[in-house]
Amino acid sequence: MRHHVFGFCVISLAALSSGMAQTARAEPAHAIAMQGEPALAAGFPSVPYANPDAPQGGTMRYCVFGNFDNLNPVIVRGALTTARGIWFDKEFGNLVFEPLMQRSPDEPFTMYGLIAESIETDDERSYVEFRLDPKAKFSDGQQIRPEDVLFTVRMLREHGRPIYANWLRPAVKIEKVGEDGVRFTFDDTADRETPLLIAGLPVLPEHAFDEKTFEQTTLEPVIGSGPYVIAEVRPGQEIVYKKNPDYWAKDLPIRKGVFNYDTIVIDYYRDSNAQFEGFKKGNCHIYLEGDPNHWRTAYDFPAVTDGRVIKETFQTGAPANMLGFVFNTRRPVFADRRVRKALSMLFDFEWANKNLYYGAYQRTGSFFQNSELSALGRPASEAEKALLAPYPGDVDPDVMDGTYQPTVSDGSGSDRKVLREAMQELEAAGYSFAGRRLVGPDGKPLAFEILVQSPEQAKMAEAYNGTLSRLGIAMTIRMVDDSQYQARKDAFDFDMIIGAYSASLSPGAEQDYRWGSRAKDINGSFNYAGASDPAIDALIQKIVTTRSREDFVDAVRAYDRVLISGYYVVPLFHMPEQRLARWAFIKHPETTPLYGYQLPTFWRAPD
């Protein structure tokens, strides 16, 4: 499949009004971790995943698939067509806007000072206070002030993407403190993650935006505090960033060896084949590869043969994302967990991997696979058992004792043993054959539609359908355009879709909007499966409030067991490593951080 980049104790409101002034002030710190302590002590010279002596200069050219017509990356309007690289770009980095604090890709969830040189919070994390670095400036030379932070918060709440409003929701009081401080005081809905999320907010220049037009898309270059300024804009075709020679943070330890090019050019392609051809010709210098078939067959051009282009793989410590066929349990056909379990058994991964993907994939069985957070292959600890004790029956015995694995077939596409075991589950749910069709206790055939949006997804669905049809299960495949797909997905107007759930070493509040009961009936939420389980809700709350890493791992593993046992998705597969191709003059550090390669730490070898 081809991807084109595809707590703690809380305080009540009454306590806020009457007792906050009596809370002992904490010491300002250079960093904050979700659990435990930051890995890098105050005064660290540079980050371990970058080369502080990396050569500076030259041009990097990226090729991306898509289009753009907006340069304001924080507003709702134009969210899907905002130019890459300005802000919140997981691949290219934050080139123009910057956060208060910088997240480390080498730790589960730790934020280090950037615009805010220090952070202060109490043991309960009932507030957070940032002290801005007096050296911090926007690219036009204006100093970053607490007023800019307050302006940013107001704009994000009024016009920003929903994710920002959610991060800011617990903040009931936001105020300037002294000449260079901003303090956020939280209500009792905050958790240990809230200060870190606030620390990840961008800071926008109040003087450079018109509040009356803020929510409108724009193609006028925006001003930020980041290492680059927008130099040229060709809507839908190309955006050019130039290094700001007066970048205020270039000597900070968190920035040494990061953002090493003088110029970054991002070219847009409407066709994936043209995008790859552009890479082959040297029009772009890195190609991020997500298609194992393409990786195996497309790199036979001369530049690869003679070493001018290098194919490279990277191992990470991050969990694999969960890609799967997602059941909409709001639909009666998928309401019975036994039916979902049987249908999960019927995807023949071994056949698909061999015949469609050159054996390049590994089977996914956990929502946090390949990490310490995964329950796969691990018996539940005593702490996990205690967390799960109030919910008997929510976790299957084999998931509890660590022996569960996704079904393994003989790779024939019609493994009789697998078909027989799946049929036993369906019979237990009241299904039986009526001629060649499988019908339920209500006399209705076991039939459903899968909604797809690309030929690649349709190919996966066809492979799945081949096995389902052998048990008289009728699956139809409907391909729709992107706008219709998004609309139907947002309204939960589907039986089944193919969904991808990103995973990290620090799952938190986002899980509530993926699996929490309160998100089940909110159109546009990520609870596509319609999950509504008290065990899930309780474990999410435990995850976001636990203090030690050990307790956190127990909570996430217990959570993983409940999700696995709920059979909300048919787990598919993942690539065991990251893959990219690069022209040989593009170099990178020897150390790969926990979350994988970081393109902002790459550099261009001097001519």
Side-chain angles (χ1 to χ4, degrees):
M1 186 180 61
R2 197 166 180 181
H3 301 282
H4 304 288
V5 181
F6 184 154
F8 59 104
C9 298
V10 294
I11 58 175
S12 66
L13 283 172
L16 283 174
S17 61
S18 64
M20 271 310 297
Q22 300 175 11
T23 302
R25 290 183 63 88
E27 288 296 322
H30 73 295
I32 183 172
M34 181 66 179
Q35 294 97 21
E37 297 297 324
L40 304 177
F44 65 91
S46 61
V47 292
Y49 53 86
N51 173 10
D53 299 317
Q56 303 293 298
T59 297
M60 163 57 83
R61 300 189 71 98
Y62 294 117
C63 292
V64 298
F65 180 80
N67 185 25
F68 79 92
D69 59 7
N70 176 40
L71 301 182
N72 185 341
V74 301
I75 57 174
V76 174
R77 189 179 302 176
L80 298 179
T81 54
T82 301
R84 296 285 306 274
I86 298 175
W87 163 251
F88 212 61
D89 196 307
K90 292 183 178 180
E91 291 177 349
F92 306 149
N94 302 321
L95 305 182
V96 176
F97 292 151
E98 290 185 306
L100 286 161
M101 305 185 79
Q102 179 66 49
R103 183 169 183 173
S104 169
D106 206 31
E107 300 172 54
F109 195 1
T110 299
M111 305 292 287
Y112 289 90
L114 186 58
I115 290 175
E117 67 176 356
S118 69
I119 183 172
E120 174 191 310
T121 187
D122 59 358
D123 192 50
E124 289 78 22
R125 295 193 177 175
S126 62
Y127 76 95
V128 64
E129 186 173 311
F130 301 98
R131 289 286 166 181
L132 306 187
D133 191 322
K135 300 186 298 294
K137 291 181 172 58
F138 294 109
S139 61
D140 62 359
Q142 295 271 7
Q143 185 165 2
I144 301 178
R145 310 160 301 142
E147 288 82 1
D148 294 305
V149 178
L150 299 178
F151 167 79
T152 300
V153 169
R154 189 167 69 255
M155 292 300 99
L156 294 181
R157 279 181 157 168
E158 294 178 5
H159 309 297
R161 300 183 189 184
I163 188 173
Y164 301 125
N166 182 52
W167 290 359
L168 288 163
R169 177 177 43 81
V172 293
K173 187 177 182 181
I174 307 170
E175 58 191 323
K176 179 180 177 180
V177 179
E179 291 299 315
D180 57 0
V182 182
R183 183 183 179 105
F184 295 75
T185 302
F186 306 129
D187 64 17
D188 57 5
T189 66
D191 53 50
R192 286 189 66 78
E193 188 179 37
T194 301
L196 286 83
L197 296 176
I198 300 293
L201 291 173
V203 179
L204 313 178
E206 182 180 24
H207 66 276
F209 283 95
D210 183 344
E211 291 190 37
K212 296 178 181 178
T213 61
F214 185 87
E215 64 180 327
Q216 299 176 11
T217 59
T218 182
L219 286 170
E220 289 295 318
V222 290
I223 292 173
S225 64
Y228 293 85
V229 298
I230 299 173
E232 298 177 41
V233 179
R234 296 171 59 201
Q237 300 179 59
E238 182 182 84
I239 183 166
V240 179
Y241 298 94
K242 292 285 188 180
K243 176 76 74 68
N244 177 7
D246 299 318
Y247 175 46
W248 72 274
K250 60 184 176 182
D251 295 323
L252 290 185
I254 197 72
R255 285 294 190 241
K256 289 182 179 178
V258 186
F259 300 122
N260 301 309
Y261 310 108
D262 282 343
T263 304
I264 294 176
V265 181
I266 302 178
D267 286 321
Y268 282 73
Y269 288 78
R270 303 291 183 89
D271 177 82
S272 59
N273 292 325
Q275 179 190 6
F276 187 66
E277 288 300 316
F279 170 71
K280 288 169 62 176
K281 295 174 181 177
N283 294 336
C284 48
H285 304 150
I286 284 181
Y287 192 85
L288 309 182
E289 185 61 81
D291 181 353
N293 295 352
H294 197 253
W295 184 252
R296 180 185 177 96
T297 62
Y299 293 83
D300 57 355
F301 52 96
V304 175
T305 305
D306 63 25
R308 286 176 294 143
V309 165
I310 298 170
K311 295 173 67 180
E312 199 161 12
T313 61
F314 296 82
Q315 301 296 325
T316 82
N321 294 339
M322 169 62 80
L323 175 71
F325 296 111
V326 182
F327 298 108
N328 185 354
T329 64
R330 303 170 186 85
R331 300 291 170 94
V333 66
F334 296 141
D336 192 320
R337 184 170 70 166
R338 294 168 297 184
V339 173
R340 302 197 301 270
K341 180 178 180 180
L343 295 175
S344 296
M345 298 168 65
L346 292 172
F347 175 69
D348 195 331
F349 165 73
E350 286 68 30
W351 182 92
N353 196 35
K354 176 182 177 181
N355 290 279
L356 301 180
Y357 305 116
Y358 295 92
Y361 285 119
Q362 292 182 3
R363 186 72 191 271
T364 309
S366 160
F367 289 81
F368 304 96
Q369 192 149 332
N370 299 337
S371 78
E372 65 173 343
L373 303 180
S374 174
L376 209 64
R378 294 184 173 101
S381 66
E382 292 304 314
E384 289 180 70
K385 292 176 182 177
L387 291 171
L388 294 167
Y391 312 101
D394 261 44
V395 177
D396 288 348
D398 59 342
V399 179
M400 185 69 84
D401 65 23
T403 60
Y404 163 81
Q405 290 289 338
T407 300
V408 177
S409 78
D410 61 10
S412 67
S414 58
D415 188 320
R416 292 181 178 273
K417 180 175 181 291
V418 172
L419 293 171
R420 184 168 56 251
E421 291 175 351
M423 189 63 211
Q424 289 171 355
E425 291 288 340
L426 291 166
E427 287 173 341
Y431 281 83
S432 60
F433 281 103
R436 295 186 176 182
R437 296 189 305 175
L438 199 63
V439 299
D442 56 2
K444 295 181 179 179
L446 180 48
F448 59 92
E449 177 185 272
I450 180 168
L451 196 67
V452 301
Q453 63 179 147
S454 69
E456 289 89 350
Q457 289 189 347
K459 182 172 67 173
M460 283 193 288
E462 289 286 3
Y464 187 27
N465 196 26
T467 308
L468 295 176
S469 63
R470 288 175 170 80
L471 279 187
I473 301 167
M475 181 179 82
T476 56
I477 301 170
R478 181 181 297 275
M479 187 184 303
V480 297
D481 61 34
D482 288 347
S483 60
Q484 186 178 354
Y485 184 86
Q486 189 65 44
R488 290 186 60 177
K489 187 171 69 169
D490 287 348
F492 310 124
D493 181 19
F494 59 85
D495 296 335
M496 175 183 279
I497 58 172
I498 297 174
Y501 298 89
S502 62
S504 82
L505 291 167
S506 185
E510 80 285 349
Q511 300 298 315
D512 193 30
Y513 288 87
R514 295 181 183 184
W515 302 105
S517 296
R518 68 181 182 137
K520 173 178 177 288
D521 299 316
I522 300 176
N523 284 359
S525 83
F526 300 141
N527 191 347
Y528 304 126
S532 182
D533 184 343
I536 290 176
D537 295 339
L539 288 167
I540 292 174
Q541 181 63 19
K542 182 68 176 178
I543 287 168
V544 300
T545 57
T546 192
R547 297 188 181 212
S548 74
R549 186 68 186 176
E550 182 180 6
D551 290 344
F552 179 78
V553 170
D554 282 327
V556 177
R557 287 183 187 169
Y559 177 60
D560 193 28
R561 295 183 203 277
V562 173
L563 292 180
I564 293 169
S565 300
Y567 297 98
Y568 296 106
V569 306
V570 180
L572 294 177
F573 38 71
H574 61 274
M575 294 236 287
E577 70 274 317
Q578 295 177 318
R579 297 173 178 176
L580 65 75
R582 58 181 170 88
W583 284 82
F585 54 77
I586 299 298
K587 308 294 184 180
H588 61 75
E590 294 182 2
T591 301
T592 301
L594 194 62
Y595 280 106
Y597 63 73
Q598 303 294 308
L599 295 183
T601 67
F602 288 29
W603 65 88
R604 183 165 180 154
D607 294 335

